[in-house]
RNA sequence: GGCCCGUUCGUCUAGGGGUUAGGACGCAUCCCUUUCACGGAUGAAACACGGGUUCGAUUCCCGUACGGGCUACCA
């Protein structure tokens, strides 16, 4: 079997949304599984929609996700250039070749003329005007104008496009890896533009020519391409490449979390969820978006989540490393229907990865967040903090949101809960307990707890009344990790200072 | 409108001619516990509808409904 070569071919028109990342991922998985090559090709044939920085964004996203291409712009490869705008001549040459063979023709109709034809058709009750075998006879093209007039117009520099000549009456069968056989009839197909009047190819021509020249073996792309695949087959046929046409696989779309239709960047804004892998900085705040990275996702968790949107291994395992995905993935298991984006499920995946990570790795990811808030914790303390907090967070920023008091000290105490429990006798007991802890301080939470419990027993202090107050004294809140583990992370001096400070403040609550 | 694709718990899905239709997220209850989490247990929750084919259809076929995509000198 020939070397597997797959490509991810985005168009640099803005931020790449997660549907694109999923497409890239599936292509990457296939390449790795089959010891093949993963190619990045930039489809920048529409200069009207080209957005500066988009290509860099795409590559940066793939880098963060950990699925960089083997070939592509800036990555080397034998089949470049990998930007379609740099391959204009190649497309033109193939378009001309098709004119030569009669598979394509020149057309001189202006956009205005076509618009008029469309409106006319509409007025007559036709919902869609099609440039096809029937209508082309009434329009200005090399088929109706004759060779001489065509020559004359070309020489005069009149703008023209090159169109595919679709002959009616042909059945076109697309063998799709996820959908099976899909049949089309050429009667329904229009004479697609191959080469635009600015000399750039359309997607269809560029795509087919590049896939052939780059020796692509599998075309794995979104479902929105399924209808135009019929045209692509016709193109392979016209160019004499039908025998080694790539295999096709059309992926189900990713749908909005609510309502109808496919996921869009608007949904991100509307629902406060990420739809991009990393932040995109548009020209206005409304056009700028946080990504999965900024929401506090781990790349592997995002990939795992995305992999399961439209695919599953058939087993009950859900947590897959990239290596495991490579081994388990198959196009046959890709589902046919669209998958709704579920942010809760994404969070859950991330939580699983956070729980499984060790303190040192977490510290590396969490440190920037702590630093951002103006603190420079020691490595050992930060590691211990992460280890302690990791079971109560799903997203990275929650380490700060739920554990800021470790760094800032207690900002506000849960006053109602203090008032409910506080009294003079208890104060005395807690003060003595604090002194006892100072004397019998241990770096180990279990030993520390034993020391406290021993004291409490001797002085008839009940855990139910002591622990909540210790907790509030240390953290300000009733929620959080084990009291003695908190002390362990806080350290002796810090812990005792917090306790003693609280015993004084709690008195003022009681009298308030 | 035309063409193409799809439809199993709210969501992601497994399954497949005869099953108590399985798992996960979310939700609820309980257990664990000094709190919050984690973890564990339990529960509510699904085969779009109508016709066939068949001894038997959620599974196969055909319709209908609904959803989606395409229908540009955009990709």
């Amino acid at each position: 079997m020939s070397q597997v070569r797959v490509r991810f071919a985005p168009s640099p028109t803005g931020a790449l949304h997660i549907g694109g990342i999923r497409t890239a991922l599936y292509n990457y998985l296939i390449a790795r599984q089959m010891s093949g090559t993963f190619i990045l090709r930039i489809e920048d044939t529409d200069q009207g929609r080209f957005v500066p920085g988009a290509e860099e964004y795409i590559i940066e996203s793939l880098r963060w996700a950990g699925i960089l291409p083997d070939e592509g712009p800036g990555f080397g490869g034998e089949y470049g250039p990998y930007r379609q705008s740099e391959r204009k001549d190649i497309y033109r040459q193939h378009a001309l070749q098709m004119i030569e063979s009669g598979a394509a023709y020149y057309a001189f109709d202006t956009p205005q003329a076509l618009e008029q034809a469309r409106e006319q058709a509409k007025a007559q009750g036709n919902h869609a005007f099609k440039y096809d075998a029937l209508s082309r006879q009434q329009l200005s093209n090399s088929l109706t104008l004759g060779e001489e007039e065509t020559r004359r117009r070309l020489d005069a520099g009149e703008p023209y496009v090159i169109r595919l000549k679709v002959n009616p009456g042909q059945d076109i069968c697309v063998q799709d890896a996820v959908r099976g056989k899909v049949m089309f009839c050429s009667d329904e197909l229009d004479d697609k533009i191959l080469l635009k009047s600015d000399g750039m190819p359309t997607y269809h021509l560029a795509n087919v020519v590049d896939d052939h020249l780059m020796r692509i073996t599998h075309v794995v792309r979104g479902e929105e391409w399924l209808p135009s695949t019929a045209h692509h087959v016709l193109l392979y046929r016209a160019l004499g490449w039908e025998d080694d046409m790539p295999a096709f696989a059309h992926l189900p779309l990713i749908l909005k979390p609510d309502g109808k239709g496919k996921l869009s960047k608007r949904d991100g804004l509307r629902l406060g969820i990420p739809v991009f892998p990393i932040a995109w900085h548009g020209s206005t705040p409304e056009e700028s978006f946080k990504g999965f990275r900024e929401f506090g996702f781990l790349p592997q968790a995002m990939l795992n989540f995305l992999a399961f949107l439209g695919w599953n291994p058939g087993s009950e395992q859900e947590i897959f490393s990239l290596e495991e995905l490579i081994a388990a993935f198959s196009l046959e298991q890709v589902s046919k229907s669209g998958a709704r984006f579920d942010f809760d499920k994404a969070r859950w995946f991330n939580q699983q990865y956070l729980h499984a990570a060790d303190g040192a790795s977490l510290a590396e990811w969490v440190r920037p967040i702590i630093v951002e808030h103006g603190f420079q914790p020691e490595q050992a303390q930060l590691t211990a903090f992460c280890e302690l907090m990791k079971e109560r967070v799903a997203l990275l920023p929650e380490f700060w949101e739920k554990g800021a008091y470790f760094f800032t000290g207690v900002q506000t105490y849960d006053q109602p809960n203090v008032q409910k429990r506080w009294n003079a006798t208890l104060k005395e007991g807690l003060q003595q307990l604090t002194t006892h802890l100072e004397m019998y301080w241990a770096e180990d939470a279990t030993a520390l707890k034993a020391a406290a419990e021993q004291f409490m027993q001797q002085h008839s202090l009940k855990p139910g009344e002591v622990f909540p107050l210790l907790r509030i004294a240390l953290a300000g809140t009733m929620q959080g990790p084990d009291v003695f583990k908190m002390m362990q992370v806080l350290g002796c001096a810090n812990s005792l200072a917090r306790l003693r400070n609280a015993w004084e403040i709690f008195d003022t609550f009681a009298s308030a």
Side-chain angles (χ1 to χ4, degrees):
Chain A
M1 189 186 167
S2 64
Q3 260 299 304
V4 165
R5 293 174 59 79
V6 293
R7 86 293 195 284
F8 174 54
S11 155
T13 53
L16 178 68
H17 98 36
I18 53 166
I21 294 292
R22 190 196 56 177
T23 303
L25 172 64
Y26 286 3
N27 275 285
Y28 176 89
L29 296 176
I30 290 166
R32 290 290 86 89
Q33 185 180 74
M34 314 291 281
S35 304
T37 306
F38 174 49
I39 294 142
L40 173 67
R41 188 171 70 216
I42 301 295
E43 309 226 332
D44 54 348
T45 55
D46 185 354
Q47 63 264 68
R49 294 208 309 157
F50 177 82
V51 173
E55 181 183 319
E56 290 72 14
Y57 176 89
I58 290 164
I59 291 169
E60 195 46 43
S61 296
L62 296 179
R63 187 187 311 282
W64 180 69
I67 51 174
L68 282 173
D70 305 307
E71 291 178 23
F75 296 91
E78 307 280 295
Y79 298 86
Y82 293 94
R83 263 181 221 104
Q84 293 187 326
S85 60
E86 295 167 16
R87 300 167 65 81
K88 268 176 86 170
D89 293 343
I90 301 173
Y91 309 122
R92 157 162 229 97
Q93 183 191 320
H94 285 90
L96 258 21
Q97 180 192 322
M98 279 190 278
I99 291 203
E100 206 66 32
S101 69
Y105 59 89
Y106 294 104
F108 300 96
D109 317 274
T110 63
Q112 296 75 30
L114 291 174
E115 188 46 44
Q116 208 176 335
R118 255 186 281 273
E119 260 163 43
Q120 201 177 349
K122 208 170 184 177
Q124 287 167 4
N126 288 334
H127 283 263
F129 162 81
K130 248 189 353 223
Y131 207 118
D132 62 5
L134 203 68
S135 65
R136 73 164 88 104
Q137 290 166 7
Q138 268 72 51
L139 293 151
S140 324
N141 50 62
S142 54
L143 268 18
T144 55
L145 263 24
E147 204 171 317
E148 234 169 86
E149 172 64 5
T150 302
R151 196 72 268 157
R152 193 193 64 71
R153 291 190 182 208
L154 256 22
D155 291 343
E158 236 179 79
Y160 66 91
V161 300
I162 295 180
R163 284 182 183 270
L164 176 69
K165 188 180 171 203
V166 176
N167 295 127
Q170 306 178 77
D171 285 328
I172 298 145
C173 178
V174 175
Q175 188 63 45
D176 188 280
V178 345
R179 276 149 229 281
K181 269 186 174 53
V182 182
M183 299 293 295
F184 298 90
C185 178
S186 66
D187 296 11
E188 310 291 342
L189 274 26
D190 66 334
D191 289 353
K192 275 267 176 295
I193 290 180
L194 266 19
L195 204 70
K196 300 184 266 189
S197 59
D198 63 0
M200 279 290 192
T202 56
Y203 172 86
H204 310 288
L205 208 221
N207 195 262
V208 166
V209 168
D210 284 348
D211 283 345
H212 178 77
L213 262 25
M214 294 181 181
R215 303 265 188 277
I216 299 301
T217 53
H218 303 256
V219 171
V220 180
R221 75 229 302 189
E223 193 187 0
E224 67 268 31
W225 295 109
L226 188 52
S228 57
T229 306
H231 279 106
H232 303 162
V233 171
L234 253 24
L235 275 168
Y236 282 105
R237 206 174 278 176
L239 289 160
W241 300 336
E242 198 176 3
D243 289 343
D244 51 7
M245 203 163 58
F248 292 102
H250 289 92
L251 272 16
L253 265 14
I254 296 178
L255 275 17
K256 287 182 195 299
D258 60 340
K260 307 184 186 315
K262 59 177 175 178
L263 184 68
S264 76
K265 61 181 180 182
R266 291 269 151 252
D267 297 317
L269 242 37
R270 189 170 57 85
L271 301 165
I273 57 172
V275 302
F276 298 113
I278 61 180
W280 169 259
H281 303 290
S283 45
T284 66
E286 295 74 37
E287 288 296 310
S288 301
F289 307 89
K290 285 202 294 178
F292 272 73
R293 184 175 63 183
E294 291 70 26
F295 266 78
F297 281 85
L298 265 27
Q300 180 57 46
M302 177 188 72
L303 253 24
N304 199 153
F305 164 67
L306 251 26
F308 271 74
L309 237 40
W311 170 83
N312 80 88
S315 71
E316 281 175 4
Q317 182 184 350
E318 293 204 89
I319 302 301
F320 278 75
S321 67
L322 194 53
E323 278 62 40
E324 288 174 310
L325 284 176
I326 290 167
F329 185 78
S330 91
L331 285 172
E332 286 66 37
Q333 297 270 17
V334 171
S335 51
K336 299 173 173 67
S337 45
R340 212 175 271 277
F341 180 97
D342 181 356
F343 187 61
D344 281 332
K345 190 73 181 245
R347 275 177 61 97
W348 177 81
F349 271 107
N350 204 57
Q351 188 183 52
Q352 298 303 305
Y353 279 84
L354 255 25
H355 289 192
D358 58 40
S361 315
L362 290 167
E364 196 182 317
W365 300 320
V366 171
R367 178 173 289 283
I369 296 171
I370 306 299
V371 168
E372 195 183 310
H373 286 91
F375 294 89
Q376 294 284 353
E378 281 171 33
Q379 190 59 23
Q381 197 208 6
L382 183 60
T383 304
F385 165 77
C386 290
E387 198 64 66
L388 192 55
M389 294 300 288
K390 73 178 186 185
E391 286 188 343
R392 20 185 64 78
V393 301
L395 263 21
L396 254 16
E398 292 170 9
F399 275 100
W400 174 262
E401 289 156 19
K402 295 186 175 172
Y405 57 80
F406 277 92
F407 308 97
T408 62
V410 179
Q411 305 286 296
T412 52
Y413 292 98
D414 182 345
Q415 192 166 342
N417 263 307
V418 173
Q419 280 167 333
K420 236 187 296 181
R421 293 155 213 270
W422 190 246
N423 62 57
T425 4
L426 213 43
K427 179 185 180 184
E428 175 132 10
L430 285 164
Q431 280 175 323
Q432 286 171 17
L433 172 61
T434 310
T435 308
H436 183 80
L437 285 172
E438 186 168 32
M439 285 166 62
Y440 295 92
W441 182 266
E443 285 304 323
D444 173 65
T446 320
L448 202 54
K449 186 177 186 185
E453 276 174 338
Q454 192 200 18
F455 179 91
M456 285 159 61
Q457 207 159 31
Q458 284 167 1
H459 295 77
S460 310
L461 288 167
K462 282 185 241 140
E465 42 188 20
V466 170
F467 286 137
L469 286 166
L470 285 176
R471 171 177 300 289
I472 297 174
L474 256 15
T477 161
M478 288 284 283
Q479 292 150 19
D482 178 85
V483 166
F484 298 97
K485 285 186 177 163
M486 280 202 281
M487 288 196 208
Q488 193 187 325
V489 171
L490 252 17
C492 180
N494 195 347
S495 299
L496 294 170
R498 286 191 188 197
L499 293 180
R500 291 199 165 110
N501 184 239
W503 307 150
E504 297 313 312
I505 291 177
F506 288 1
D507 262 344
T508 67
F509 290 169
S511 58

